[in-house]
């Protein structure tokens, strides 16, 4: 089985103004259908994410699991 690339950083909270996840920038529908999207569609969505995240009004308040693990390993 091949792993599916995902932009998820385990900060699953939707900005009500933009409709984008604070962590990854995807919409609820994109998150829900991610596994059934074609690789091409996923790449298209992923290319849009940096610009989307710039429109999110607030950043996550809590430390993500990925950042915490990197910090604990001395990588940050």
């Amino acid at each position: 089985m091949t792993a599916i690339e995902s932009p998820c950083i385990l900060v699953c909270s939707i900005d009500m103004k933009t409709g984008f996840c604070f962590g990854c920038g995807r919409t609820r529908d994109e998150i829900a259908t991610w596994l059934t999207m074609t690789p091409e569609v996923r790449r298209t969505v992923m290319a849009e994410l940096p610009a989307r995240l710039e429109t999110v009004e607030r950043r996550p308040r809590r430390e993500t699991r990925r950042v915490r693990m990197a910090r604990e390993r001395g990588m940050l």
Side-chain angles (χ1 to χ4, degrees):
M1 179 183 245
T2 305
I4 294 176
E5 186 177 10
S6 172
C8 181
I9 62 166
L10 304 175
V11 176
C12 302
S13 182
I14 302 294
D15 176 22
M16 297 311 285
K17 184 174 181 179
T18 64
F20 301 139
C21 173
F22 288 109
C24 69
R26 294 179 292 173
T27 65
R28 287 180 194 266
D29 288 341
E30 290 166 344
I31 293 167
T33 61
W34 194 254
L35 295 177
T36 60
M37 288 180 180
T38 65
E40 293 78 20
V41 172
R42 284 194 298 268
R43 281 192 287 271
T44 300
V45 171
M46 288 182 70
E48 297 171 2
L49 299 181
R52 290 180 183 184
L53 287 171
E54 291 297 319
T55 67
V56 174
E57 288 195 355
R58 72 170 174 88
R59 299 290 179 221
R61 294 181 215 183
R62 62 187 168 112
E63 181 179 55
T64 66
R65 180 174 169 246
R66 188 172 292 169
V67 170
R68 180 179 46 85
M69 290 171 65
R71 181 179 46 77
E72 289 171 355
R73 290 185 189 129
M75 300 173 93
L76 288 180

